[in-house]
């Protein structure tokens, strides 16, 4: 069950996107979790490129994304007959760039049956409700974990290590139904938390970026992540997640990680 009075991560005040409590991240009362703003970046890019399907997005997280309001600017880099590339900048009320993004869009081809590899995901019907793996936070206000529902397949739980879970989230924006790609973004940015190798009290595992690539659009509200984190010596890691809807695999999310033990 959701633990929030809000029906979306954000609301609009004029041209500004303003965070509701569930948009907040675990680190600061003033900063968003990166997943929901990534969804709004997707929204802006989908509104800019309407004749092709968004298939890949890389977001660079340059500074904390403020809860009190931001805008998103987009630009088409190159628009060809089959492929388009675009960019986006997320700016706070002081005009500072908090995140930049690059996207790839491809036109739909003819629906021709060709050989493919079907990758089946975890069975949703066998999953059981549970808590989001990362429940610790550095403030006493509601945050991202209060705006999502989680379910675990048999044999999976919220312990550290490689983990598979199902997630359903709030809509991104009050009064709107998110597109399939938009709906995927909050889960896609959670791979480092889902598959953390220890708890927050022992280490930080911050991601300065996230790349999402899909081979088809999700078709269900409940989406799954099968995630693993690699933390070799040196403090640079990755979290790699295969993403699923209830029919099977839909794509991949990769986060580069800064991993630091707590002193």
């Amino acid at each position: 069950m959701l633990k929030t009075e809000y029906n979306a991560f954000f609301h609009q005040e004029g041209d500004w996107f303003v965070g509701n409590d569930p948009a907040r991240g675990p680190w600061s009362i003033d900063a968003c979790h990166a997943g929901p703003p990534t969804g709004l970046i997707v929204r802006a890019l989908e509104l800019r490129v309407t004749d092709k399907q968004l298939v890949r997005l890389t977001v660079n997280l340059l500074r904390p994304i403020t809860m009190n309001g931001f805008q998103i600017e987009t630009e088409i880099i190159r628009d060809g007959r089959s492929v388009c590339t675009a960019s986006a900048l997320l700016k706070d009320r002081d005009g500072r760039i908090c995140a930049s993004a690059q996207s790839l869009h491809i036109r739909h081809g003819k629906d021709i049956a060709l050989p493919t590899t079907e990758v089946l995901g975890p069975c949703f019907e066998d999953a059981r409700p549970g808590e989001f793996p990362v429940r610790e936070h550095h403030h006493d206000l509601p945050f991202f974990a209060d705006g999502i529902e989680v379910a675990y397949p048999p044999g999976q739980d919220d312990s550290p290590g490689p983990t598979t879970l199902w997630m359903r989230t709030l809509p991104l924006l009050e009064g709107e139904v998110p597109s399939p790609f938009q709906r995927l973004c909050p889960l896609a940015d959670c791979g480092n938390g889902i598959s953390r190798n220890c708890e927050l009290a022992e280490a930080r595992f911050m991601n300065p970026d996230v790349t999402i690539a899909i081979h088809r659009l999700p078709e269900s509200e409940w989406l799954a992540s099968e995630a693993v984190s690699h933390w070799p010596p040196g403090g640079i890691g990755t979290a790699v997640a295969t993403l699923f809807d209830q029919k099977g695999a839909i794509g991949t999310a990769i986060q580069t990680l800064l991993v630091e033990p707590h002193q």
Side-chain angles (χ1 to χ4, degrees):
M1 295 291 292
L2 296 180
K3 307 169 186 176
T4 176
E5 62 185 89
Y6 294 100
N7 57 15
F9 285 112
F10 295 97
H11 65 276
Q12 284 189 274
E13 296 180 2
D15 295 330
W16 298 93
F17 299 110
V18 180
N20 297 327
D21 279 341
R24 183 177 292 108
W27 307 106
S28 167
I29 62 173
D30 301 316
C32 295
H33 186 285
T38 296
L40 290 183
I41 289 173
V42 167
R43 176 182 181 272
L45 289 165
E46 288 179 331
L47 288 172
R48 186 63 182 263
V49 182
T50 59
D51 61 338
K52 299 177 180 69
Q53 172 61 53
L54 175 61
V55 296
R56 190 192 71 219
L57 176 76
T58 294
V59 177
N60 297 303
L61 304 166
L62 307 176
R63 64 173 66 243
I65 298 174
T66 177
M67 287 280 289
N68 73 355
F70 57 82
Q71 294 179 334
I72 300 171
E73 302 173 0
T74 61
E75 179 182 4
I76 293 177
I77 305 302
R78 182 182 182 278
D79 193 6
R81 185 178 65 178
S82 300
V83 176
C84 174
T85 56
S87 65
L89 294 176
L90 186 154
K91 296 182 178 181
D92 66 16
R93 291 184 185 270
D94 294 321
R96 297 176 299 183
I97 298 173
C98 300
S100 63
Q102 298 79 43
S103 61
L104 176 68
H105 310 249
I106 299 178
R107 68 171 174 82
H108 286 283
K110 294 181 179 179
D111 193 9
I112 303 173
L114 294 171
T116 187
T117 300
E118 296 290 347
V119 179
L120 299 179
C123 179
F124 176 72
E125 286 72 19
D126 295 335
R128 295 292 178 264
E131 296 285 345
F132 186 65
V134 179
R135 294 185 294 276
E136 303 166 75
H137 48 296
H138 295 185
H139 52 74
D140 59 358
L141 293 180
F143 74 119
F144 179 77
D146 299 308
I148 61 176
E149 295 176 271
V150 170
Y152 290 94
Q156 299 288 313
D157 57 30
D158 59 2
S159 302
T163 300
T164 300
L165 61 71
W166 290 93
M167 182 187 295
R168 180 167 65 175
T169 72
L170 290 169
L172 292 172
L173 195 60
E174 291 181 1
E176 278 192 16
V177 176
S179 74
F181 202 129
Q182 293 169 33
R183 188 167 63 244
L184 181 63
C185 292
L187 172 66
D189 187 61
C190 286
N192 60 329
I194 292 169
S195 64
R196 74 213 181 283
N197 291 315
C198 66
E199 301 293 3
L200 279 177
E202 301 172 68
R204 296 194 310 163
F205 34 92
M206 306 283 288
N207 63 299
D209 73 352
V210 59
T211 295
I212 309 166
I214 64 170
H215 54 268
R216 69 173 177 87
L217 289 169
E219 299 179 33
S220 58
E221 287 191 0
W222 280 95
L223 303 169
S225 174
E226 182 180 83
V228 58
S229 284
H230 304 279
W231 293 2
I236 298 173
T238 58
V240 182
T242 303
L243 305 173
F244 302 87
D245 66 3
Q246 290 178 241
K247 289 186 175 180
I250 55 177
T252 303
I254 301 176
Q255 300 162 296
T256 309
L257 304 181
L258 169 64
V259 184
E260 297 179 324
H262 279 306
Q263 303 297 326

